[in-house]
Amino acid sequence: MLLRLYSIIVLALDLMTLLIGVFFSILVTLYQTFKPPPLKNLQREVALVVGAGRGVGKEIAIQLSQLGVSVACVDINADTCNATVKKISQSLGNAKAYICDVTDKNQVSKTVDTVISELGNVTILLHCCGVPSPRALIQDPPEIMHTMNLSILSHFWLLDSVFPRMQQTGKGHIIILSSVAGLSGGSSAGARVPLSTAQFAVQGLAESLQTELRHSNSNIIITLVHVYPFIVGIEAATDIRFRIPSYFGTMSATEAARQIIDGLRRNYAEFSVPGYLLYLGHVLRILPKKASFMLRDLLDTGVDFA
Ligand SMILES: *[C@@H]1O[C@H](CO)[C@@H](O)[C@H](O)[C@H]1NC(C)=O
Ligand SMILES: *[C@@H]1O[C@H](CO)[C@@H](O)[C@H](O)[C@H]1NC(C)=O
Ligand SMILES: *[C@@H]1O[C@H](CO)[C@@H](O)[C@H](O)[C@H]1NC(C)=O
């Protein structure tokens, strides 16, 4: 009898602690929407940007270099990768080009070793490849194996090489980009399932890493960025039409990169580009399936990534 009473009191106390904790973190989040955490200084950090040859990856590499970061520009295309480095050098930033096929584990590990010996320990990892572009909506979908290699497995090869070092030095920031928007519809139903499956896998990867790191006392930060927009670059194809720009306007790769770096510098665990759509994404999940499909139809968009 007494034991029972005791366990009920313990349970009540636990529940109360939980409620106060939950309430408090909601308050903090609300407060931070009005007063975001300060921007951290990135001077002398070393960033490895995968997909630095074009699109958002290129803009991220350029903007990071302007903040005093040494940037390892990684791309499979030597011409565009060198062009990004040239552009950074012209504005007196520090960057080097590394040509690497990130779907190849051996190449990745060799490249990371070279980066570390030439620029120093990698403290920021940004993978900007494999996020579907609007072109993916109208082109023939790539082979399933290739999609998995580029969008998921390459993350593991990079983490394999970069993560242990970060744990040794006790410092690091891994930014994982994912986009599930813009993949519904299209003429060939089902053809884009591998693409969006890969995007969900990437989100799962980010959440698994966050859960894993929660119980270790390392200072490694994992940031998951949901890229929602209709990023339309200069090369925007006129044959691709999105419904959403007419409602919300378009966003350039430069602006998207600016928002991604802003969230990175505030150490957010999860955010979206544009910011307000994160909540919409959450709402989609609690709505009945039919309603969420209707909302998705309205939001049918694409992203233009490297
Ligand atoms: C790119 O730059 C690297 C190193 O600076 C050089 O070895 C390579 O030949 C360049 N490639 C092209 C296609 O310009
Ligand atoms: C890189 O990290 C290693 C430990 O993993 C450390 O011994 C080394 O001094 C670091 N290098 C630099 C340039 O900070
Ligand atoms: C995917 O990666 C594996 C292992 O690296 C490789 O054997 C395979 O050829 C790749 N497939 C494609 C389509 O790139």
Side-chain angles (χ1 to χ4, degrees):
M1 177 63 199
L2 241 126
L3 200 66
R4 217 192 143 97
L5 190 70
Y6 174 73
S7 63
I8 289 176
I9 291 176
V10 169
L11 180 68
L13 278 178
D14 279 352
L15 277 179
M16 222 147 81
T17 321
L18 177 72
L19 272 180
I20 292 172
V22 169
F23 185 69
F24 190 70
S25 51
I26 291 174
L27 274 187
V28 169
T29 310
L30 269 180
Y31 176 73
Q32 285 184 346
T33 45
F34 297 106
K35 192 175 181 312
L39 294 164
K40 70 176 173 185
N41 190 345
L42 297 181
Q43 283 281 340
R44 283 188 293 282
E45 302 236 2
V46 178
L48 196 151
V49 181
V50 178
R54 54 171 296 253
V56 175
K58 176 182 174 181
E59 293 299 328
I60 286 176
I62 292 172
Q63 293 181 26
L64 280 177
S65 76
Q66 289 165 353
L67 294 168
V69 179
S70 302
V71 186
C73 297
V74 177
D75 206 290
I76 197 170
N77 184 325
D79 287 334
T80 57
C81 196
N82 283 4
T84 303
V85 169
K86 199 168 160 213
K87 195 160 177 201
I88 291 175
S89 306
Q90 276 166 358
S91 51
L92 306 176
N94 186 19
K96 271 191 98 119
Y98 299 90
I99 312 309
C100 173
D101 175 3
V102 288
T103 65
D104 183 333
K105 186 176 182 184
N106 290 327
Q107 275 192 43
V108 169
S109 114
K110 276 198 200 109
T111 304
V112 171
D113 285 346
T114 320
V115 170
I116 290 173
S117 66
E118 292 183 352
L119 296 178
N121 292 325
V122 174
T123 57
I124 301 172
L125 174 64
L126 253 152
H127 188 336
C128 306
C129 269
V131 178
S133 73
R135 254 169 251 100
L137 295 173
I138 50 167
Q139 271 171 357
D140 286 339
E143 207 205 328
I144 294 182
M145 264 304 254
H146 182 71
T147 302
M148 299 303 158
N149 276 355
L150 185 65
S151 300
I152 308 177
L153 291 178
S154 61
H155 280 279
F156 286 100
W157 308 149
L158 283 157
L159 284 172
D160 262 1
S161 308
V162 172
F163 201 66
R165 282 278 190 147
M166 285 185 172
Q167 278 182 315
Q168 273 173 23
T169 52
K171 179 177 160 68
H173 197 151
I174 294 162
I175 296 93
I176 294 178
L177 306 183
S178 153
S179 172
V180 182
L183 293 170
S184 58
S187 48
S188 44
R192 268 160 275 283
V193 168
L195 284 178
S196 66
T197 304
Q199 293 307 305
F200 279 113
V202 165
Q203 290 179 22
L205 170 65
E207 284 180 23
S208 310
L209 281 171
Q210 283 170 345
T211 312
E212 194 78 7
L213 284 171
R214 214 171 76 86
H215 297 293
S216 71
N217 43 5
S218 76
N219 294 320
I220 301 177
I221 301 159
I222 310 288
T223 297
L224 171 62
V225 188
H226 299 267
V227 185
Y228 279 100
F230 25 95
I231 295 166
V232 183
I234 323 154
E235 64 217 282
T238 45
D239 51 342
I240 313 175
R241 282 228 323 268
F242 302 115
R243 300 181 56 182
I244 199 100
S246 53
Y247 303 123
F248 296 102
T250 60
M251 184 187 286
S252 64
T254 313
E255 174 59 18
R258 196 193 63 73
Q259 291 193 12
I260 291 168
I261 291 174
D262 188 85
L264 180 176
R265 292 181 67 196
R266 294 186 200 279
N267 285 341
Y268 288 141
E270 187 176 9
F271 66 96
S272 74
V273 176
Y276 52 85
L277 283 179
L278 181 64
Y279 302 102
L280 196 71
H282 290 335
V283 168
L284 276 182
R285 297 234 161 265
I286 56 171
L287 284 177
K289 262 281 172 259
K290 201 169 168 191
S292 94
F293 280 141
M294 283 155 64
L295 239 167
R296 259 175 219 279
D297 282 347
L298 174 77
L299 287 173
D300 209 351
T301 67
V303 286
D304 189 12
F305 258 75

